[in-house]
């Protein structure tokens, strides 16, 4: 039995170090500044272990029983702490206090373990032998954990599952003691408790993904004021002071502080270049912000908005913060909302003889996957011909020509291959960075002589700036995005992940 | 024990019990049915008794069998305004290109794509022009295909080492030596693709009988594909898996059971090109080749008689065919001027009685398959590469699955139907067939569900239906010596006014062969009757 207890030293040492590493990694992950987070977490943890060692003197009787209780507690607390911290991150104002309280509690419990074990084993070994053996296993466990953690645990299990797994190992030490050690007072009820904790940890281990999902909102800067999962996407609205931000599937769609730059740039170079635009089609744009700009043209009689997700158009038609932002555009009697798949709608509408549009604004999410990539394809742009007149014009939001240069020019090449005359332009939107658009039509586009009054950003002079492409965004061959070969999605993935990895 | 202690232990036990139940919850039974060729009806041919004919019909041509070959013959006869009937045993025509449909999607029951047709596939190209699959030709003469029928990207992914990777050539964890071997193999195949025999014809072509007759090339047919790989020094485990998979996918049998000629043919014959797609793109539809069946059926609908089992064909100057109509339990005798037997050889042999020639089915071996269609509440996912059209599992007895909603233009279909393909080649065909017929619907569902949930744990509770179809004789097997052997040469001989048309006459079961044999048989009939202008 005593040699087995020495093995348990190895287990608890491994667990102890894993908890410390989990807390440190999590703190730097959630709070940033990894040097500060790691050193404060490690300092707090080690000093807490000191407190634990000191407290162990007050345990006088039933050493094995108390040791088992400590194992159950540390298993539950240490094992569940990653999940707990993730969940609490956005719900608690003083997250740091929770974090350090957790680190201290786990540290204290881990600090009690070794002194208690030494006392349990003191009659079974020579003192010198005992100390050498216990600390050998202790440090070997630490080495084991420190190698395992970055190489296997984090990449394969993630922090939450790692926590639960080692919590279970800790509790298993207690289970083993409670079932095999003779004459522990009160062993029976503790056995039940140990098994219940073990099962709870197991359940946590299995359902770790759900916990990650719940905690996902934690990654947003600002306070989450609305979160909603629809069959199509996760809609999250955050607020930080005056800044209202919309995220779809974790990607920023606009910041209320500078969205006027984006939407004025998207809408006006197109709309102001048309003589008397009457019928307008918006594909995407369920936030109503492009629509707000379109409605500044009094000649417009009808706007058809095709946005897949009814939850989006409903949210932006009803939430007072949002209707204030889009000037209640979605309530316009000129608007007809179609909550359908754009490609499917387009083919049906063309077949049903839908009258042509003067202007088409394509304001879709970036081509980050194969589903959305279809709406940037040659086939889609060709199918659009059926809803256009010779003088009609299209504008496409087409990601950042600076970050994703090939992606941007691939959209341009695709439009050109679909038979359009293409005019590229770009502008700077602080929350997005350098952003690109493409104008397309059967005839070349000519810059508008004047714009509606009251615009905050776009004017004739700014338009000239937008048309100029510096060398680092200049044309590169992007290729043509086809349904059967989605080059664009591959470009996008390559360029944006290179950009994100650089940070 | 005090009250508090009792409560904690009780809570612990209850928790343990609940967890135990949760962990060992039996998999729920999923609705679904097992369909199959009408075995009982088909087997009556082998010695059942039928009533005497109660009526005699006359027609110029009777086509027996409504698979692709029969439909092709029918379409050609219709174009010549010939007087003909097509008799099909099942309720639906289409053979193993049939499809099904439910509220979610149409889905294939078997054949589910056609590669870009080769230059030599003249008949198939003509059909594709007619159906709008080919919409025109570019200035360079390359066909332009309907964008919506070209298989959308991503087309293939492979599950290997617990992750999905793009494409079917195994790459995850495959070392430089094996990758170099891939390169050598594909270079080898590219050389074969470009190779012409001494007679100037392509070494490997589709239709198969347009391939070169060069004896040096045909010698490859006497070797098994595995023996050829041994001879050429292709040893890599992953390459061998890929080739075994390819043979099982196209022929329903692995490296040991198909000839080297057939194995190479898979890689070296398809030289079709398109103006608007890569050369290796395929044409596909939600219903698989059921889309083509539907077009062919519609064109000749007035001539088709389903649930009509041919039981006897009497050869002669005016051949007669007795058709058993199970729903009326009577036999109709059809007197024709010509008959097209668009059925597999083993059926033709049983039908033909007396006459001028022997019909032999020796050497004709057919692979049995099980195909399962699973209706799902959400799309399958998995770590690594995104869901593709064809999703293959490395090292699995089942090949993997295709996604019926893949060609959908909708952003993200909420529900889908996936079609799981399982060539039953673990036993010789007869034994596998017998074992398969002995399995209950529930056993099949259990086998399929276990595989699916092992691969896609996220689909637990999301499987609405599992419908199954057992194909006893799904496809002809190009065993060593078959394609260029005596049995097939004999089978190719036509015996007017009896004509034969079936993909088994090619030795490989593909749309192009079945369709071409159907058209050629119909043209033989038209020539024989003097109806061809």
């Amino acid at each position: 039995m005593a040699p087995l207890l020495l093995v348990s030293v190895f287990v608890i040492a491994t667990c102890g170090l894993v908890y410390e590493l989990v807390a440190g990694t999590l703190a730097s992950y959630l709070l940033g500044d990894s040097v500060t987070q790691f050193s404060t977490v490690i300092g707090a943890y080690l000093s807490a272990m000191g407190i634990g060692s000191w407290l162990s003197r007050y345990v006088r009787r039933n050493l094995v029983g108390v040791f088992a209780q400590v194992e159950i507690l540390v298993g539950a607390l240490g094992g569940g702490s990653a999940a707990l911290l993730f969940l609490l991150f956005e719900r608690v104002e003083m997250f740091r206090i929770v974090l350090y309280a957790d680190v201290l509690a786990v540290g204290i419990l881990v600090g009690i373990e070794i002194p208690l074990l030494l006392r349990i084993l003191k009659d079974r070994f020579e003192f010198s032998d005992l100390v050498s053996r216990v600390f050998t296993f202790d440090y070997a466990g630490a080495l084991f954990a420190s190698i395992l953690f970055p190489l296997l645990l984090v990449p394969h299990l993630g922090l939450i599952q790692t926590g639960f797994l080692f919590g279970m190992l800790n509790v298993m030490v207690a289970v083993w003691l409670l079932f095999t050690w003779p004459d522990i007072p009160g062993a029976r009820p503790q056995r039940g408790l140990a098994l219940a904790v073990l099962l709870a940890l197991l359940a946590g281990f299995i359902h770790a993904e759900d916990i990650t999902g719940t905690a996902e909102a934690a990654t947003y800067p600002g306070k989450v004021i609305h979160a909603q999962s629809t069959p199509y996407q996760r809609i999250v609205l955050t607020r930080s002071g005056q800044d209202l931000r919309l995220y779809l599937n974790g990607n920023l769609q606009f910041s209320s502080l500078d969205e006027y730059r984006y939407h004025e740039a998207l809408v006006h170079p197109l709309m102001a270049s048309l003589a008397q635009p009457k019928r307008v089609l918006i594909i995407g744009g369920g936030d109503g912000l492009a629509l707000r700009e379109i409605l500044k043209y009094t000649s417009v009689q009808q706007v058809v908005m095709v946005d897949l997700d009814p939850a989006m158009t409903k949210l932006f038609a009803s939430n007072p913060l949002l209707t204030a932002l889009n000037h209640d555009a979605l309530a316009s009697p000129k608007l007809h909302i179609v909550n359908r798949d754009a490609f499917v709608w387009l083919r049906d509408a063309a077949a049903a003889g839908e009258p042509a549009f003067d202007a088409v604004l394509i304001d879709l999410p970036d081509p980050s996957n194969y589903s959305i990539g279809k709406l940037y394809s040659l086939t889609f742009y060709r199918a659009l011909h059926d809803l256009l007149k010779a003088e009609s014009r299209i504008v496409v939001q087409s990601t950042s020509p600076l970050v994703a240069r090939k992606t941007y020019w691939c959209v341009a090449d695709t439009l050109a291959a679909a038979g359009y005359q293409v005019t590229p332009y770009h502008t700077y939107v602080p929350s997005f960075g350098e952003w690109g658009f493409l104008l397309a039509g059967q005839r070349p586009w000519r810059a508008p002589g004047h714009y509606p009054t009251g615009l905050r950003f776009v004017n004739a002079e700014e338009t000239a700036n937008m048309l100029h492409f510096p060398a680092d965004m200049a044309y590169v061959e992007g290729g043509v995005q086809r349904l059967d070969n989605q080059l664009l999605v591959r470009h996008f993935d390559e360029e944006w992940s290179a950009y994100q990895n650089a940070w | 024990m005090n009250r508090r202690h009792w409560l904690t232990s009780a809570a612990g036990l209850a928790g343990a019990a609940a967890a135990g139940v949760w962990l060992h919850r039996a998999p729920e039974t999923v609705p679904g049915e097992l369909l199959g060729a009408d075995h009982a009806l088909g087997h009556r041919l082998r010695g059942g008794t039928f009533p005497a004919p109660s009526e005699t019909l006359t027609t110029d041509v009777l086509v027996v069998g409504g698979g692709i070959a029969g439909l092709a013959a029918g379409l050609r006869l219709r174009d010549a305004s010939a007087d003909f009937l097509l008799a099909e045993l099942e309720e639906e025509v289409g053979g193993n290109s049939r499809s099904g449909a439910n509220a979610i999607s149409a889905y294939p029951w078997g054949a589910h794509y056609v590669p870009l047709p080769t230059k030599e596939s003249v008949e198939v190209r003509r059909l594709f022009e007619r159906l709008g699959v080919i919409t025109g030709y570019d200035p360079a003469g390359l066909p332009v295909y309907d964008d919506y029928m070209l298989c959308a990207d991503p087309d293939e992914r492979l599950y290997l080492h617990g992750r999905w990777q793009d494409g079917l050539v195994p790459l995850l964890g495959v070392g430089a030596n094996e990758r170099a071997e891939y390169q050598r193999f594909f270079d080898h195949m590219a050389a074969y693709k470009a190779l012409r025999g001494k007679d100037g014809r392509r070494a490997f072509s589709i239709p198969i009988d347009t391939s070169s007759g060069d004896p040096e090339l045909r010698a490859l047919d006497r070797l098994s594909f595995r023996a050829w790989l041994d001879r050429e020094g292709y040893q890599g485990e992953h390459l061998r898996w890929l080739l075994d998979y390819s043979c099982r996918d196209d022929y329903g049998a692995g490296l040991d059971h198909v000839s080297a000629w057939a194995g190479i043919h898979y890689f070296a014959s398809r030289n079709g090109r398109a103006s608007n797609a890569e050369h290796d793109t395929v044409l596909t539809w939600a219903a698989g080749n059921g889309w083509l069946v539907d077009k062919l059926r519609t064109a000749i609908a007035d001539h088709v008689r389903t649930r009509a089992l041919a039981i006897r064909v009497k050869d002669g100057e005016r051949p007669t065919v007795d058709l058993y109509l199970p729903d009326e339990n009577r036999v109709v005798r059809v007197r024709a001027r010509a008959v097209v037997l668009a059925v597999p050889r083993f059926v033709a042999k049983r039908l033909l009685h007396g006459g001028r020639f022997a019909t032999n089915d020796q050497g004709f071996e057919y692979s049995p398959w099980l195909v399962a269609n699973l209706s799902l509440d959400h799309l399958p996912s998995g770590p690594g590469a995104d869901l593709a059209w064809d999703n293959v599992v490395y090292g699995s007895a089942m090949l993997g699955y295709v996604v019926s909603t893949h060609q959908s233009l909708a952003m993200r279909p909420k529900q889908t139907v996936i079609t799981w393909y399982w060539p039953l080649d673990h036993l010789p065909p007869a034994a596998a067939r017998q074992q398969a017929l002995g399995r209950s619907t529930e056993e099949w569902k259990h086998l399929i569900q276990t595989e699916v949930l092992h691969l896609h744990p996220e689909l637990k509770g999301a499987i609405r239906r599992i419908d199954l179809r057992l194909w006893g004789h799904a496809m002809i097997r190009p065993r060593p010596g078959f394609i260029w052997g005596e049995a097939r040469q004999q089978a190719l001989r036509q015996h007017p006014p009896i004509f034969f048309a079936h993909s088994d006459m090619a030795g490989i079961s593909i749309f192009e062969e079945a369709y071409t044999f159907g058209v050629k048989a119909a043209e033989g009939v038209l020539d024989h009757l003097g109806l061809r202008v």
Side-chain angles (χ1 to χ4, degrees):
Chain A
M1 185 138 281
L4 271 175
L5 260 182
L6 285 172
V7 174
S8 78
V9 172
F10 181 77
V11 174
I12 62 180
T14 312
C15 293
L17 197 76
V18 165
Y19 300 145
E20 183 183 330
L21 292 170
V22 166
T25 312
L26 215 129
S28 45
Y29 177 47
L30 293 177
L31 300 172
D33 189 2
S34 56
V35 176
T36 313
Q37 302 310 335
F38 253 103
S39 56
T40 51
V41 164
I42 290 172
Y45 192 84
L46 288 176
S47 60
M49 280 176 68
I51 299 171
S53 305
W54 180 74
L55 284 175
S56 68
R57 64 187 300 159
Y58 295 106
V59 181
R60 304 207 193 274
R61 281 183 302 274
N62 186 17
L63 294 182
V64 178
V66 173
F67 180 72
Q69 279 171 351
V70 168
E71 289 307 295
I72 298 170
L73 260 178
V74 80
L77 200 61
S81 66
L84 187 80
L85 291 174
F86 256 117
L87 287 175
L88 291 182
F89 178 65
E90 52 152 337
R91 290 176 178 75
V92 181
E93 291 293 309
M94 306 298 281
F95 175 74
R96 272 166 224 263
I97 294 178
V98 179
L99 171 69
Y100 288 102
D102 178 81
V103 168
L104 285 175
V106 175
I108 289 172
L109 289 168
V110 171
I112 298 176
E113 286 173 330
I114 299 294
L116 273 190
L117 257 180
L118 286 171
R119 283 162 63 196
I120 292 169
L121 293 170
K122 74 175 186 322
D123 300 331
R124 295 162 203 257
F125 294 95
E126 278 289 313
F127 182 68
S128 57
D129 198 21
L130 175 63
V131 171
S132 94
R133 283 187 196 212
V134 166
F135 283 102
T136 303
F137 278 101
D138 187 17
Y139 292 125
L143 174 68
F144 185 60
S146 62
I147 291 170
L148 219 56
F149 187 75
L151 295 184
L152 278 178
L153 299 175
V154 175
H156 291 283
L157 292 178
L159 291 175
I160 294 181
Q161 273 195 326
T162 301
F164 282 123
L165 179 67
F166 283 84
M168 285 192 278
L169 289 178
N170 247 157
V171 178
M172 275 188 236
V173 171
V175 171
W176 168 66
L177 278 174
L178 290 168
F179 280 91
T180 54
W181 198 277
D183 309 323
I184 300 177
R188 283 186 55 154
Q190 280 193 48
R191 283 176 198 168
L193 181 68
L195 289 176
V197 170
L198 197 58
L199 286 169
L201 290 168
L202 182 66
F205 183 80
I206 292 168
H207 288 285
E209 288 226 348
D210 303 338
I211 296 171
T212 320
T214 321
E216 146 257 15
T219 50
Y220 296 106
K223 201 170 155 67
V224 173
I225 59 171
H226 179 94
Q228 179 182 10
S229 278
T230 78
Y232 307 104
Q233 56 201 342
R234 184 152 174 88
I235 304 174
V236 172
L237 207 58
T238 70
R239 186 184 185 172
S240 159
Q242 288 302 302
D243 188 9
L244 204 58
R245 288 178 179 229
L246 172 73
Y247 294 85
L248 297 181
N249 296 331
N251 299 315
L252 177 65
Q253 303 300 304
F254 69 76
S255 150
S256 63
L257 296 182
D258 59 18
E259 59 77 19
Y260 67 91
R261 277 191 166 223
Y262 174 90
H263 290 104
E264 286 188 6
L266 173 74
V267 171
H268 297 294
L270 164 65
M271 290 295 284
S273 73
L274 299 169
Q276 284 282 309
K278 291 189 181 66
R279 274 173 54 78
V280 179
L281 172 65
I282 307 176
I283 294 174
D287 55 26
L289 296 170
L291 179 62
R292 176 193 67 200
E293 300 301 317
I294 289 166
L295 293 174
K296 291 178 180 166
Y297 295 82
T298 48
S299 65
V300 171
Q301 293 167 353
Q302 198 192 14
V303 182
V304 176
M305 176 186 284
V306 185
D307 192 299
L308 180 58
D309 197 348
M312 268 292 282
T313 43
K314 263 185 211 136
L315 177 67
F316 279 82
S318 58
N319 182 309
L321 286 171
L322 300 173
T323 53
L325 192 63
N326 64 26
H327 298 178
D328 217 1
L330 292 167
S332 165
K334 294 177 181 174
L335 178 65
H336 174 55
I337 298 177
V338 181
N339 291 125
R340 286 184 61 193
D341 268 299
F343 211 142
V344 181
W345 172 85
L346 175 59
R347 294 190 81 198
D348 289 353
E354 173 91 24
F357 292 94
D358 301 302
V360 178
L361 294 99
I362 306 180
D363 190 15
L364 290 164
D366 286 347
S368 60
N369 61 58
Y370 296 109
S371 300
I372 191 91
K374 294 174 190 173
L375 299 179
Y376 285 86
S377 67
L378 180 67
T379 315
F380 181 75
Y381 294 141
R382 274 192 184 148
L384 208 53
H385 278 302
D386 295 343
L387 297 185
L388 300 177
K389 293 184 278 198
E391 60 280 6
S392 307
R393 207 163 289 289
I394 305 172
V395 66
V396 184
Q397 92 76 10
S398 20
T399 196
S400 170
L402 183 64
V403 173
R405 191 167 160 188
K406 258 174 128 172
T407 310
Y408 177 79
W409 292 107
C410 177
V411 181
D413 286 352
T414 307
L415 281 164
Y420 298 96
Q421 306 258 1
V422 182
T423 310
Y425 68 101
H426 68 97
T427 193
Y428 181 68
V429 182
S431 61
F432 283 9
E434 222 21 83
W435 214 255
F437 305 88
L438 294 157
L439 278 161
Q442 282 177 31
R443 295 174 189 166
W445 173 84
R446 288 228 306 270
H450 44 261
Y451 284 97
T453 49
L455 299 188
R456 294 167 71 186
F457 176 64
V458 171
N459 56 28
E461 199 182 10
E462 191 52 44
T463 308
N465 289 339
M466 293 196 287
L467 292 169
H468 173 70
F469 277 75
D472 60 352
M473 303 195 287
Y475 178 80
V476 285
E477 195 184 331
V480 174
Q481 158 82 349
R482 293 197 319 247
L483 287 178
D484 66 295
N485 187 2
Q486 296 209 23
L487 275 182
L488 181 72
V489 177
R490 294 176 219 280
H491 289 331
F492 181 87
D493 186 48
E494 229 167 75
E495 294 180 317
W496 276 97
S497 51
Y499 177 76
Q500 271 147 3
N501 289 342
W503 290 92
Chain B
M1 182 159 40
N2 68 28
R3 189 180 146 79
R4 206 188 63 188
H5 283 167
W6 187 85
L7 279 175
T8 40
S9 340
L13 278 176
V21 170
W22 179 76
L23 283 172
H24 292 105
R25 194 169 47 181
E28 60 251 83
T29 40
V30 176
E33 54 182 335
L34 176 62
L35 309 163
D38 199 331
H39 295 292
L41 197 53
H43 285 184
R44 265 187 84 168
L45 262 185
R46 286 199 213 182
T49 51
F50 296 94
S54 61
E55 186 190 347
T56 303
L57 298 176
T58 334
T59 181
D60 275 352
V61 191
L62 180 71
V63 180
V64 177
I68 294 299
L71 292 170
L75 185 66
R76 184 69 188 85
L77 292 171
R78 204 208 72 120
D79 286 349
S81 307
D83 169 36
F84 77 99
L85 280 178
L86 186 152
E88 163 62 44
L89 141 81
E90 304 278 339
E91 273 177 47
E92 299 283 342
V93 294
N96 65 14
S97 292
R98 264 174 292 175
S99 60
N102 60 23
I104 302 171
S105 176
Y107 49 80
W109 270 126
H112 53 282
Y113 70 96
V114 181
L116 299 180
T118 58
K119 255 215 166 91
E120 294 82 4
S121 300
V122 180
E123 295 304 334
V124 173
R125 282 168 72 135
R126 204 169 283 159
L127 174 72
F128 282 2
E129 286 165 22
R130 175 175 184 160
L131 298 182
V133 178
I134 294 176
T135 57
Y137 288 85
D138 70 7
L142 289 177
V144 178
Y145 288 90
D146 183 322
D147 285 345
Y148 302 102
M149 299 176 187
L150 292 166
C151 182
D153 195 17
D155 53 352
E156 293 164 333
R157 66 172 182 168
L158 174 68
Y159 189 75
L160 175 61
H161 304 314
R163 274 183 79 76
W164 291 96
Q165 59 147 71
D166 279 323
L168 297 187
V169 178
L171 294 175
L172 279 173
V174 173
N177 284 346
E178 280 201 72
R179 287 179 190 230
E181 197 186 35
Y182 288 159
Q183 195 54 51
R184 182 162 76 89
F185 178 80
F186 288 118
D187 288 347
H188 205 156
M189 292 301 114
Y192 271 132
K193 208 174 194 172
L195 183 66
R196 284 176 185 272
K198 292 195 187 80
D199 50 9
R201 299 206 280 187
R202 289 183 62 214
F204 298 91
S205 181
I206 297 174
I208 248 177
D209 288 306
T210 59
S211 304
S212 168
D214 203 324
E216 210 176 298
L217 290 165
R218 291 196 175 178
L220 290 168
D221 192 45
R222 291 193 290 272
L223 223 57
S224 78
F225 198 19
R226 187 186 296 282
W228 183 82
L229 292 173
D230 288 341
R231 190 182 85 186
E232 301 293 323
Y234 292 112
Q235 295 300 338
E237 171 195 338
H238 292 94
L239 177 67
R240 287 197 173 213
W241 170 82
L242 178 70
L243 305 183
D244 188 62
Y245 158 81
S246 305
C247 291
R248 295 180 71 224
D249 188 33
D250 252 34
Y251 310 133
L255 298 179
D256 291 312
H257 304 289
V258 307
S259 78
W261 197 93
I264 296 167
H265 183 269
Y266 180 96
F267 294 96
S269 60
R270 295 180 169 113
N271 68 344
R273 286 168 65 199
S275 167
N276 57 334
E278 308 300 318
H279 66 90
D280 55 356
T281 308
V282 301
L283 296 154
T284 188
W285 303 267
N289 292 4
W291 184 87
L292 293 163
V293 169
D294 196 51
K295 297 290 174 198
L296 294 169
R297 183 184 53 78
T298 312
I300 58 166
D302 300 343
H303 302 265
V304 174
R305 180 77 205 242
T306 54
R307 299 278 291 163
L309 166 66
I311 52 174
R312 209 174 296 118
V313 177
K314 267 215 184 102
D315 186 17
E317 201 170 318
R318 293 294 301 263
T320 62
V321 179
D322 287 352
L323 297 176
Y324 174 63
L325 312 178
D327 300 324
E328 302 164 38
N329 192 31
R330 67 187 187 104
V331 170
V332 174
R333 175 156 295 173
V334 180
R335 194 175 292 279
R337 293 172 64 204
V339 171
V340 177
L341 287 176
V343 292
R345 188 66 37 164
F346 72 95
V347 175
K349 182 189 160 197
R350 269 178 227 146
L351 289 177
L352 271 167
H353 291 272
R356 302 156 292 143
F357 60 96
T359 316
N360 204 336
D361 70 341
Q362 257 179 357
F364 284 71
E365 200 171 274
Y366 300 84
S367 306
W369 282 68
L370 189 280
V371 178
N373 270 298
L374 290 87
S375 302
L376 306 176
D377 279 347
H378 60 81
L379 296 178
S381 53
D386 283 347
L387 184 66
W389 169 64
D390 189 13
N391 303 269
V392 174
V393 184
Y394 185 86
S396 165
M398 300 179 205
L399 297 179
Y401 61 92
V402 297
V403 179
S404 69
T405 51
H406 183 76
Q407 295 295 94
S408 155
L409 297 170
M411 285 285 294
R412 224 170 250 121
K414 279 173 237 160
Q415 292 176 297
T416 193
V417 178
I418 61 174
T419 311
W420 217 284
Y421 289 91
W422 187 2
L424 305 173
D425 63 342
H426 56 296
L427 292 173
R433 217 167 281 136
Q434 197 172 14
Q435 185 196 45
L437 285 170
R439 273 193 186 132
S440 72
T441 310
E442 289 311 310
E443 283 172 282
W444 284 118
K445 283 201 257 180
H446 179 74
L447 288 167
I448 296 286
Q449 205 179 353
T450 308
E451 170 94 356
V452 174
L453 291 180
H454 172 68
L455 187 66
H456 287 298
E458 81 279 6
L459 290 178
K460 196 172 165 57
I463 305 175
R464 281 289 133 258
R465 282 185 72 82
I466 302 180
D467 292 304
L468 305 141
R469 192 181 274 275
L470 182 60
W471 299 101
H473 300 80
M475 39 172 72
I476 185 73
R477 236 177 225 203
R479 295 190 314 155
F482 182 70
I483 290 180
W484 298 114
E486 187 46 41
R488 193 178 79 87
Q489 287 312 312
Q490 209 179 343
L492 285 173
R493 232 162 277 150
Q494 300 290 15
H495 300 275
I498 308 280
F499 293 83
F500 296 89
H502 196 270
S503 63
D504 63 2
M505 294 161 68
I508 64 173
S509 177
I510 60 175
F511 179 85
E512 298 92 310
E513 297 289 356
Y515 186 80
T516 307
F517 273 112
V519 172
K520 295 293 173 203
E523 289 181 344
V525 167
L526 294 172
D527 286 340
H528 176 69
L529 299 181
L531 293 174
R532 196 154 155 189
V533 192

